[in-house]
Amino acid sequence: MRYMTAGESHGPEEMAIIEGIPSGLNVTTDMINHELARRQHAYGRGQRQVIETDTVTILSGVRHQVTLGSPITLNVHNDDHNHWRKIMDPNTPADAENSMRKVMRPRPGHADLVGGIKYRHQSDLRNVLERSSARETVMRVAVGAVAKALLREIGVDVHGFVRNIGPAFSDLERLTTFQDLAELRAVTESFPTRALDEKGDQAMQAVIDRTKRDANTVGGTVQVMATGMPVGLGSYVAATEKLDAKIARAIISINAFKGVDFGGGFENAEKFGDQVMDEIFWDADKGFTRGSNNLGGFEGGMTTGGVIVVRGVVKPIPTLYRPMQSVDIDTHENHRASIERSDTTAVTAAVVIAEAMVAIELAKAVLDKFDADNLDRLKDQVAVYREEVRLF
């Protein structure tokens, strides 16, 4: 399985092509639109979410709501393009009228300046920000929705929540009260911030509201979990085949993500071996099991069969309505950075994007190991493999 996205933030369309999805998988616009709405309707989002209504159009690879095995093309229209038609017109040479929204003062923490230097966009940094914008992640979420549909067919569930926004935290002890991710999902999706509990949700909302009043932005941490993954996906034989490494790369590839860990993560560095390693047990019905999950469901770059636990650190958004020091790329004079319409925080939406990226990497791993031509054949192979593992 592989995919590619295309499109600019204020261009007419966002697009994705997915190759390698088996035939026979039920895929509908409703299931994809549900995930797109989750990304869009999150506390702390900005005014663009009022303008946009992200809905997908399936252009190829699906017939009568069932995949064909051929490449799947997904499209999301940018409603905001109506206000940018002349500025983003690919067929008209630049002139004074269609270049009115030039960006000449790069924002600290954004791709503006480095991207301008790399691609020689010295006349207008908008050529950088239009693609480097997090708007691109709308298509990652769409691709992730297809990946989630595939994973559900073999009993794998993926869901995430917000651990903290700035100094406001979820009550992490509540995690032990949930029987499965379905219960967790019902609770976290009931809160605008996707926190674990009402007190945490209210505290996060208060931080976001205060940050907005201060014309500032705020970061946080998201956690994604996956249950039901078969044992032994990924490999120790080559660095490029380690599945946890692939997931780490996928998480860091999301806009504004600056850190990732698994299981006990960085806290494991403060502990001793007997506090961290997941002891091994054997049961006649279940086969091999673990007494804990401090390593987040991975050993040697391979899945252990335990819950996969991934965390990502999200930095504050670079666009501040009280802009920071910058330099005009034309005159080299000191100026305040450019201001683009933005959010107060991306954390509440970022958890949905992180879910998508984890789901995509897990789906790739499943399709690497089992038959990728037809869904029923894949499910048969997974069932046989699970029994082989149980009897090991």
Side-chain angles (χ1 to χ4, degrees):
M1 172 189 169
R2 59 180 180 172
Y3 74 98
M4 174 180 287
T5 71
E8 279 73 51
S9 180
H10 296 102
E13 313 289 339
E14 298 285 346
M15 294 155 281
I17 297 177
I18 319 170
E19 186 179 25
I21 296 295
S23 68
L25 176 66
N26 180 245
V27 171
T28 68
T29 56
D30 285 346
M31 70 169 57
I32 299 174
N33 287 339
H34 171 73
E35 295 298 323
L36 296 181
R38 291 181 63 226
R39 172 192 173 276
Q40 191 169 19
H41 301 138
Y43 204 83
R45 301 303 306 274
Q47 282 298 108
R48 181 163 187 176
Q49 310 316 312
V50 178
I51 299 171
E52 299 284 5
T53 303
D54 291 337
T55 55
V56 73
T57 301
I58 301 174
L59 299 177
S60 72
V62 178
R63 185 180 183 218
H64 305 317
Q65 300 186 334
V66 179
T67 57
L68 303 176
S70 52
I72 299 170
T73 306
L74 306 177
N75 181 86
V76 173
H77 179 68
N78 283 334
D79 292 334
D80 200 21
H81 177 67
N82 294 332
H83 303 102
W84 294 77
R85 194 175 301 277
K86 289 185 178 180
I87 294 172
M88 299 302 296
D89 188 348
N91 300 309
T92 304
D95 56 33
E97 184 182 3
N98 63 23
S99 301
M100 292 175 60
R101 297 295 297 272
K102 277 189 176 184
V103 176
M104 304 299 289
R105 300 163 187 175
R107 292 161 290 176
H110 204 280
D112 297 346
L113 179 57
V114 178
I117 293 171
K118 176 178 173 65
Y119 291 101
R120 287 192 175 182
H121 289 311
Q122 193 165 359
S123 63
D124 188 355
L125 296 179
R126 179 164 300 284
N127 294 331
V128 177
L129 69 89
E130 283 293 331
R131 179 57 182 173
S132 63
S133 165
R135 177 67 185 161
E136 180 266 347
T137 61
V138 69
M139 297 317 301
R140 301 205 214 181
V141 172
V143 175
V146 177
K148 285 182 178 181
L150 173 70
L151 294 172
R152 280 194 295 268
E153 292 289 338
I154 62 167
V156 177
D157 196 7
V158 181
H159 185 65
F161 66 92
V162 175
R163 285 173 62 96
N164 74 284
I165 295 177
F169 279 77
S170 288
D171 180 5
L172 297 180
E173 293 185 1
R174 287 213 61 195
L175 267 181
T176 60
T177 66
F178 300 108
Q179 296 296 314
D180 53 33
L181 292 189
E183 284 191 13
L184 176 66
R185 181 178 293 108
V187 171
T188 60
E189 290 299 296
S190 71
F191 296 126
T193 64
R194 298 194 166 95
L196 278 175
D197 60 290
E198 185 175 3
K199 184 178 179 181
D201 172 65
Q202 292 176 350
M204 291 180 194
Q205 288 192 48
V207 168
I208 295 170
D209 293 343
R210 183 171 66 250
T211 303
K212 184 176 182 179
R213 289 194 299 270
D214 293 342
N216 212 337
T217 59
V218 64
T221 310
V222 302
Q223 179 166 316
V224 177
M225 294 179 290
T227 58
M229 277 295 284
V231 175
L233 271 66
S235 178
Y236 61 89
V237 301
T240 55
E241 297 306 309
K242 293 177 180 285
L243 182 52
D244 52 357
K246 293 179 180 181
I247 292 174
R249 177 179 179 177
I251 292 293
I252 290 296
S253 76
I254 306 170
N255 306 56
F257 275 69
K258 301 301 287 185
V260 61
D261 68 359
F262 295 84
F266 293 110
E267 293 179 2
N268 286 343
E270 303 171 9
K271 300 177 181 179
F272 297 94
D274 59 0
Q275 298 174 299
V276 173
M277 305 311 154
D278 301 318
E279 292 187 308
I280 300 171
F281 299 89
W282 187 81
D283 179 272
D285 295 324
K286 299 178 181 179
F288 287 99
T289 62
R290 304 303 174 108
S292 59
N293 191 32
N294 295 313
L295 301 183
F298 286 98
E299 287 179 341
M302 301 170 291
T303 52
T304 64
V307 179
I308 293 173
V309 180
V310 189
R311 277 180 297 278
V313 176
V314 188
K315 71 179 175 68
I317 292 171
T319 298
L320 277 64
Y321 288 104
R322 189 177 57 192
M324 300 178 70
Q325 161 66 32
S326 185
V327 175
D328 189 294
I329 62 170
D330 185 26
T331 66
H332 293 167
E333 294 176 349
N334 289 335
H335 280 283
R336 292 294 173 180
S338 296
I339 298 176
E340 293 287 315
R341 185 175 52 211
S342 185
D343 304 334
T344 303
T345 186
V347 180
T348 52
V351 66
V352 180
I353 304 164
E355 284 179 20
M357 297 309 295
V358 171
I360 289 168
E361 293 304 321
L362 296 183
K364 285 181 180 179
V366 168
L367 295 173
D368 282 346
K369 186 168 182 63
F370 304 104
D371 190 290
D373 295 329
N374 176 264
L375 179 64
D376 286 339
R377 193 181 301 128
L378 181 150
K379 290 167 68 174
D380 289 343
Q381 290 183 7
V382 171
V384 170
Y385 179 73
R386 288 190 190 276
E387 182 64 7
E388 176 190 332
V389 169
R390 187 183 73 82
L391 297 174
F392 184 84

